[in-house]
Amino acid sequence: MQRDHFPVAVVGMHGRFPDAYDVKDFWSNLVAGKDTIKQIPKQRWDWEKLFGDSANESESTTINCAAFMPMVDRFDCRFFGIMPREAESMDPQQRLFMQTAYAALEDAGYAPASLAGSNTGVFVGIGNADYPTMMRRDGAAFDIYRATGLALTCIANRVSFSLDIHGPSESIDTACSGSLVAIHRAVQAMRTGECERAIVGGVSLLLGPDLFIAFEKAGMLSKTAHCRTFDAGANGYVRGEGVAALVLCPLDVAEQNGDYIYGVIQGSAVNHGGRAHSFTAPNAAAQAQVVKAAWENSGKDFHKASMIETHGTGTPLGDPIEVNGLKKVSEGFGSGGKSKTAKPRIALGALKSHVGHMEATAGVGGVIKTLLSMKYRMIPQNLNFAELNPHISLENSPYFIPTGNVELGRKNAATKLLGGVNSFGFGGVNAHVVIESHDVASPLQMVKKQKTDQGADRNAITPYLINISGKDENSLRARAHQLIQFLQVSCDTSDAVTSEAVTEALRTSLNVADDVETTPLASLDISPSRWSKALKALAPLLGRAVNIDEVQNCISLQEAAQEIARNTQINELVVGSDKTSLCSRVALPEAEIRAAGLDSIAYTLMHGRDNLRQRLACVVDSKAELLSLLQAYLKAPEASHPNLWTHAVRMDETATNSPAATMDTSLESLSAWGEWWVKTKSATLDWETLYLQAAKPRKFPLPAYPFQLDHIWYKAGAVIEPQAAVAAQAQTPTQPVKNLVVREQLVLPAAIATAWDIGMAHSQLPIPSSVMTLAYLLDYAIYKNQGTPVELENVVFGPPCDVQDERLVFGYSPGDGYGVMQCLAARDDRRILAQATLKNHYGKHFIAPESAFATAAPLPMESFFAQLENERMSLGKVLHCLESIHAGDQKLRFELVLPEWQSKDGRFWVPLMATILAGLSHLQPQHGRALQLPWQIDSVVFNPEPAQAIKTVYLQLDPSRNTASVMAMDAASRPVLQLDGIVVRVSPVTAHRAEASLA
């Protein structure tokens, strides 16, 4: 049924943005003035191979920076009932928006399963799709899932299908304005009765270089890696990526339901610019018209606005046009009772100066920034602004550009705030949304009202039943941990580690001066072994281990400390889990979080979450008691805790009768309900049944579901063009293969690790490295093949890590003619160090090295070892077996002596692998001090019979494939070991800024 104009409430939100795992991170980065634009990680693509004159070369670009989200290749496919094979063929934009939409519903306090059959709509702004281009380029095999997996329309449809909701389901592509148009479309659909509520948002990823090349040729992108919105130096925008979702419903319905309300959409409008100077050029008159129409639709006074979140791309043409359009709007609405000399009062925000242009996600990102600005009553500063664009004049206008964080209405916190959000698509579609704050109905005021009405805090009158659940034990523990972090803020007992404390601890461990925290790490000459020890030393302070990947992109001690402290608060890695949990926090001011009542927490968890298999329930009298009980549970999950029950409901578990409804809300009564819910598959708790006399509390945003993420990516086929080589490198093993038979280590003598430890005691190489893991795999393969020659294919290595030899185990899954071997850190850890395909029947022949090696010139041993020492690789002890070195054009030949170390206890691996390591680093000096490790090897052939008398080792580079090969032979020129197609990767433990993993 159609209704007249009415305001629409934003009742839930969730998102991930550049350098931000959640909306809380996003806001913190804005307030801190963090520019999240960085050099393109080589795990996305190798920008150096494409670097060139874009004007005269068809596939070249000088653009090498953008703003990236973390973990875009991760997805909890099992949570949504999607097979990994199907998930691999799904565009990551589908996967990310599914998780984000689910999290936004939980943030709104709606149990997603409860919406099944409802008239809920889904509207998603979309645009570019790099994933199908990459799949074609890399020769990924076609399957039955690709049609739906790569269709952009399915980004919205996946959510509707997954939740079984029946409202409109639309993926909207109007380029950069897509997500703001989606919000307008959702508002209109609710007003016309097409849906009762809506999930709206946008998603945009940067997975390949094609559009970077095209946009630079079009003159759109900045060559200085900064969005300088409104600045005289503006020269284009920088691309960014993000995913975000909002939950909308009519304001009166939200208030009746007791929903938490972030803000209110009072008006919106959409138009097209028609014919402008060019197809991609903006039209100032049309932009002014859409802003004016939205404010007229809202019925609000434009001159009472505090901020306009501009489109603000930072282009010398677009910025003046947008400002001139806004000036026309101001003039069209009159002065608003203010003289032309009045102090400017409407801030022109520029989100893109922080996170780049998120394209299809830009509009919803601007809305979230505006909503949080109203909640925190602060407008974050614009970055990269020094001097106003000479084509822009703000004189006699109500506008100003915030060069610092601007407070809003602190003197009267009850004052309503108004703002607008602009978003313009390069095809001409313009959109504007008018937003008003909703502070009157904030939880803080509701708590005060409850105390006034009842004369006491209801939390002190009755205990409350708290229930949480997850798909498995890891998810349940992550749920509990997130709730603990929330309660630490709510109880004002937060023990979050500060970056200052981490900085001080790092200074002490690294033994550096106090004034170098902002000095580039590359100039501090800190060895990676010192780094490793320093990170280990942080464990007692943080209560967790620090992964080297967390700081590999950091360029200063201060930045490293900030990243470690932030990850500690986010708790991205759940202790005891072999998966990554995508945890989230509440993006609200701490004052509001502290005001959240225990009754609101209990009600939101009871009615705003699905009842999943792994369950926990407890009965508590206060938030402090709940905090203490959950902390005790995490420390000892298997122990018995008073008033707390956990259980994993089985699918075949028979339901039991629920406790009788009673007026009694005592500990005993609620305990009976809690135990019943924990142990009963079909159990559903109802607030009115448990608390007959108590009115339903208002909902409150709580941390969303901690998805357990697996690496999900397509598998490259046989046709891989040179530019895809880095993408192939990123395909590291992530989980044990099916039917894996795990065996304890059988044949590797401790002498291998002992000798390696002695020789590499001061090196920058974590133990075991990929070269030593290769030795472990080969020894295990010899065992499997009963001492016959071994042939391996498709050898890939996990990240270097510090794992003791005695903890290694091996797994083997047989196949038809092949088997899959894995080297794992431990049976219970399951961190995979390496994976390879073992041919059951040896059939490959060794290929003799080229005759060109014979002309290689002698290389002075002193200079060779000096270079290694300069790289802080103390290989001298393990390379004492070297007799001579000969170097040619991208070739090396090592002649070894035959000392006593070549015995049959396995020690020969140490000098052999050290020789390979030293040779690879010597042949590729362009990486400076960075240590190079094998990351992927196409094929390995090993003959164990002559292995004890290795005499000569050959190394050669293949520039056309960017790979290396190795051949080892004995004194009788019999081949021992051959490695072909070695893809070398710079070790993440270097003195330089290292590359990030695919994120």
Side-chain angles (χ1 to χ4, degrees):
M1 180 180 68
Q2 182 168 345
R3 297 172 59 191
D4 294 334
H5 170 90
F6 58 82
V8 171
V10 180
V11 297
M13 68 167 64
H14 199 269
R16 291 167 58 190
F17 303 91
D19 274 9
Y21 289 91
D22 55 15
V23 178
K24 175 71 173 178
D25 247 356
F26 172 65
W27 176 253
S28 298
N29 288 345
L30 295 180
V31 173
K34 181 177 181 179
D35 190 338
T36 60
I37 295 167
K38 296 181 179 179
Q39 185 172 288
I40 297 169
K42 289 191 176 181
Q43 287 69 33
R44 292 296 180 102
W45 64 89
D46 192 344
W47 62 266
E48 291 179 332
K49 291 184 178 180
L50 301 173
F51 197 84
D53 184 0
S54 60
N56 300 309
E57 299 175 12
S58 61
E59 295 190 14
S60 296
T61 176
T62 60
I63 304 302
N64 66 348
C65 290
F68 296 95
M69 284 194 301
M71 297 193 301
V72 301
D73 60 337
R74 307 297 179 90
F75 180 53
D76 195 342
C77 58
R78 292 169 181 80
F79 181 90
F80 293 99
I82 298 174
M83 294 183 299
R85 180 182 172 189
E86 180 178 3
E88 289 171 2
S89 292
M90 290 170 58
D91 191 314
Q93 295 178 127
Q94 286 190 28
R95 311 179 212 151
L96 292 175
F97 193 77
M98 286 182 73
Q99 292 177 161
T100 303
Y102 190 98
L105 287 172
E106 287 203 336
D107 186 71
Y110 292 137
S114 69
L115 300 182
S118 70
N119 197 24
T120 300
V122 181
F123 304 86
V124 188
I126 60 169
N128 309 312
D130 291 333
Y131 200 63
T133 302
M134 296 173 64
M135 294 179 77
R136 288 191 296 270
R137 179 197 66 190
D138 292 350
F142 283 82
D143 57 31
I144 62 174
Y145 305 114
R146 188 179 290 201
T148 54
L150 301 184
L152 290 180
T153 184
C154 290
I155 294 177
N157 300 162
R158 286 278 185 187
V159 175
S160 300
F161 175 83
S162 174
L163 299 175
D164 188 21
I165 52 181
H166 298 174
S169 185
E170 304 175 9
S171 295
I172 299 168
D173 185 359
T174 60
C176 316
S177 58
S179 57
L180 208 63
V181 173
I183 292 174
H184 170 78
R185 176 74 186 95
V187 170
Q188 296 301 314
M190 282 185 279
R191 289 176 178 171
T192 59
E194 293 179 74
C195 60
E196 57 191 284
R197 72 181 62 82
I199 302 167
V200 300
V203 58
S204 182
L205 295 182
L206 312 176
L207 303 178
D210 293 16
L211 285 177
F212 282 78
I213 296 171
F215 288 163
E216 187 190 16
K217 289 181 181 295
M220 298 178 181
L221 301 184
S222 169
K223 295 181 181 295
T224 58
H226 291 294
C227 278
R228 300 182 181 278
T229 308
F230 309 132
D231 189 74
N235 62 353
Y237 71 85
V238 180
R239 300 186 74 196
E241 59 185 13
V243 58
L246 306 174
V247 179
L248 310 181
C249 71
L251 177 60
D252 55 353
V253 175
E255 292 177 329
Q256 182 179 351
N257 289 343
D259 294 339
Y260 182 87
I261 299 172
Y262 284 96
V264 180
I265 298 173
Q266 292 287 1
S268 63
V270 169
N271 74 2
H272 191 278
R275 181 173 294 174
H277 177 70
S278 69
F279 180 63
T280 59
N283 184 323
Q287 290 182 6
Q289 289 168 3
V290 78
V291 176
K292 188 172 185 294
W295 282 86
E296 289 176 342
N297 177 258
S298 73
K300 299 296 179 178
D301 184 353
F302 176 81
H303 286 281
K304 290 185 178 180
S306 298
M307 62 183 297
I308 299 292
E309 179 57 36
T310 66
H311 188 60
T313 55
T315 58
L317 172 66
D319 289 354
I321 289 177
E322 183 172 11
V323 173
N324 288 334
L326 289 172
K327 288 169 67 176
K328 289 182 180 180
V329 174
S330 175
E331 295 165 359
F333 280 117
S335 66
K338 302 287 184 179
S339 68
K340 290 186 177 182
T341 59
K343 181 180 179 181
R345 58 197 177 278
I346 303 177
L348 299 180
L351 176 61
K352 293 176 181 62
S353 66
H354 293 260
V355 298
H357 189 354
M358 297 185 293
E359 296 169 3
T361 313
V364 68
V367 169
I368 291 176
K369 175 190 172 183
T370 302
L371 289 168
L372 293 178
S373 295
M374 293 177 175
K375 276 293 171 190
Y376 282 85
R377 292 189 168 260
M378 176 186 293
I379 301 173
Q381 61 182 304
N382 294 357
L383 301 183
N384 308 316
F385 180 83
E387 180 182 354
L388 188 65
N389 187 319
H391 300 291
I392 297 175
S393 174
L394 297 179
E395 292 185 11
N396 299 324
S397 79
Y399 306 111
F400 71 96
I401 296 172
T403 55
N405 296 337
V406 178
E407 292 191 357
L408 293 174
R410 292 282 180 181
K411 294 181 179 179
N412 186 0
T415 302
K416 290 288 189 71
L417 300 175
L418 280 169
V421 180
N422 272 348
S423 197
F424 310 135
F426 72 174
V429 177
N430 307 312
H432 187 84
V433 168
V434 178
I435 298 172
E436 186 176 45
S437 65
H438 193 71
D439 298 325
V440 172
S442 70
L444 178 59
Q445 292 163 319
M446 292 303 299
V447 168
K448 290 180 178 179
K449 185 177 185 300
Q450 290 170 357
K451 290 183 177 181
T452 300
D453 293 345
Q454 300 178 13
D457 186 351
R458 191 166 66 226
N459 292 339
I461 298 175
T462 180
Y464 286 93
L465 174 59
I466 303 295
N467 63 305
I468 61 176
S469 64
K471 284 278 188 178
D472 53 31
E473 187 175 354
N474 287 331
S475 302
L476 182 66
R477 295 186 66 196
R479 279 273 207 201
H481 189 98
Q482 289 184 143
L483 191 54
I484 285 173
Q485 289 183 321
F486 172 86
L487 290 167
Q488 285 174 334
V489 177
S490 189
C491 298
D492 200 17
T493 60
S494 176
D495 58 0
V497 178
T498 64
S499 61
E500 290 78 10
V502 177
T503 302
E504 184 59 34
L506 286 175
R507 282 201 202 107
T508 302
S509 298
L510 295 172
N511 192 26
V512 295
D514 293 346
D515 58 350
V516 299
E517 61 182 36
T518 59
T519 304
L521 292 174
S523 64
L524 293 181
D525 197 33
I526 302 172
S527 70
S529 60
R530 287 171 62 197
W531 257 114
S532 179
K533 292 178 181 178
L535 294 179
K536 286 183 179 180
L538 289 175
L541 172 67
L542 305 176
R544 69 175 183 91
V546 180
N547 191 320
I548 189 66
D549 292 344
E550 297 179 37
V551 295
Q552 62 184 0
N553 268 344
C554 300
I555 60 176
S556 69
L557 199 65
Q558 183 182 62
E559 187 176 345
Q562 291 171 347
E563 192 71 11
I564 291 169
R566 183 184 71 168
N567 287 351
T568 301
Q569 294 163 10
I570 295 175
N571 190 45
E572 176 198 344
L573 299 178
V574 178
V575 177
S577 169
D578 61 352
K579 295 186 178 183
T580 300
S581 289
L582 182 60
C583 298
S584 65
R585 297 162 298 165
V586 176
L588 290 176
E590 290 189 3
E592 286 201 45
I593 295 176
R594 287 194 293 271
L598 181 61
D599 56 343
S600 289
I601 295 171
Y603 180 74
T604 303
L605 291 173
M606 186 177 297
H607 287 278
R609 303 291 185 269
D610 291 339
N611 297 319
L612 303 176
R613 177 176 177 271
Q614 194 82 27
R615 301 183 182 183
L616 177 151
C618 58
V619 179
V620 294
D621 286 318
S622 66
K623 291 187 290 185
E625 183 183 1
L626 175 58
L627 172 61
S628 177
L629 202 55
L630 291 177
Q631 288 174 326
Y633 160 72
L634 279 189
K635 289 180 180 178
E638 305 300 327
S640 176
H641 302 283
N643 305 328
L644 184 148
W645 308 271
T646 61
H647 185 67
V649 179
R650 300 192 309 269
M651 294 301 295
D652 60 347
E653 201 153 14
T654 57
T656 59
N657 294 327
S658 64
T662 175
M663 298 288 287
D664 181 14
T665 56
S666 64
L667 173 64
E668 292 75 15
S669 174
L670 293 178
S671 297
W673 282 98
E675 288 188 85
W676 170 75
W677 175 80
V678 161
K679 297 179 180 179
T680 306
K681 173 185 170 185
S682 59
T684 300
L685 297 172
D686 179 71
W687 184 270
E688 293 180 343
T689 302
L690 269 66
Y691 307 94
L692 296 178
Q693 290 183 320
K696 289 192 294 187
R698 296 183 65 84
K699 300 175 186 175
F700 194 85
L702 297 174
Y705 189 80
F707 293 107
Q708 303 294 289
L709 304 182
D710 286 319
H711 172 83
I712 302 289
W713 210 252
Y714 66 85
K715 293 180 176 61
V719 181
I720 303 180
E721 297 176 6
Q723 294 174 359
V726 175
Q729 292 180 40
Q731 304 301 319
T732 57
T734 58
Q735 59 183 345
V737 297
K738 293 181 179 178
N739 306 318
L740 190 73
V741 179
V742 177
R743 301 287 300 270
E744 298 295 340
Q745 181 178 325
L746 296 176
V747 296
L748 294 181
I752 296 179
T754 301
W756 188 257
D757 285 338
I758 293 173
M760 302 294 287
H762 302 290
S763 77
Q764 62 179 14
L765 184 64
I767 308 298
S769 70
S770 56
V771 287
M772 286 308 295
T773 308
L774 175 62
Y776 296 145
L777 277 179
L778 287 173
D779 251 357
Y780 187 63
I782 294 170
Y783 160 77
K784 296 299 298 182
N785 278 16
Q786 299 180 348
T788 61
V790 170
E791 183 176 343
L792 304 181
E793 294 180 351
N794 302 320
V795 183
V796 289
F797 300 96
C801 59
D802 190 0
V803 180
Q804 296 302 314
D805 173 77
E806 60 268 16
R807 293 187 61 212
L808 294 178
V809 296
F810 295 90
Y812 179 77
S813 178
D816 185 14
Y818 294 85
V820 177
M821 294 194 312
Q822 288 185 334
C823 177
L824 303 99
R827 181 187 294 277
D828 56 347
D829 186 348
R830 290 298 178 95
R831 175 181 290 186
I832 299 171
L833 305 178
Q835 176 175 302
T837 301
L838 170 64
K839 294 194 68 173
N840 294 338
H841 303 288
Y842 170 71
K844 186 168 182 176
H845 298 287
F846 286 90
I847 301 174
E850 297 180 17
S851 59
F853 275 102
T855 61
L859 182 69
M861 300 277 282
E862 297 78 9
S863 63
F864 178 78
F865 280 108
Q867 180 192 8
L868 296 180
E869 292 299 327
N870 286 339
E871 295 177 12
R872 297 194 301 282
M873 292 185 294
S874 301
L875 297 175
K877 292 185 178 181
V878 291
L879 289 180
H880 67 277
C881 55
L882 279 181
E883 185 177 58
S884 64
I885 309 172
H886 290 71
D889 182 20
Q890 297 178 322
K891 300 178 180 68
L892 282 176
R893 185 177 82 243
F894 295 91
E895 296 293 337
L896 312 181
V897 295
L898 302 176
E900 296 178 357
W901 53 259
Q902 290 193 323
S903 60
K904 292 186 178 183
D905 64 0
R907 294 193 189 189
F908 69 90
W909 284 119
V910 178
L912 174 59
M913 292 303 174
T915 301
I916 294 173
L917 176 67
L920 290 174
S921 296
H922 178 84
L923 285 173
Q924 301 187 85
Q926 68 272 22
H927 294 295
R929 291 185 171 187
L931 176 65
Q932 284 121 95
L933 299 176
W935 189 252
Q936 182 174 322
I937 305 175
D938 288 345
S939 67
V940 179
V941 186
F942 177 60
N943 186 4
E945 194 274 328
Q948 309 301 327
I950 298 172
K951 174 62 177 175
T952 309
V953 179
Y954 301 91
L955 287 90
Q956 183 171 2
L957 290 183
D958 182 353
S960 64
R961 297 177 57 210
N962 197 25
T963 60
S965 61
V966 172
M967 168 74 81
M969 307 184 79
D970 71 353
S973 297
R974 291 182 299 172
V976 176
L977 176 68
Q978 181 168 318
L979 313 176
D980 287 323
I982 306 173
V983 177
V984 176
R985 195 184 203 189
V986 173
S987 168
V989 189
T990 69
H992 292 288
R993 180 176 177 175
E995 286 80 11
S997 60
L998 185 65

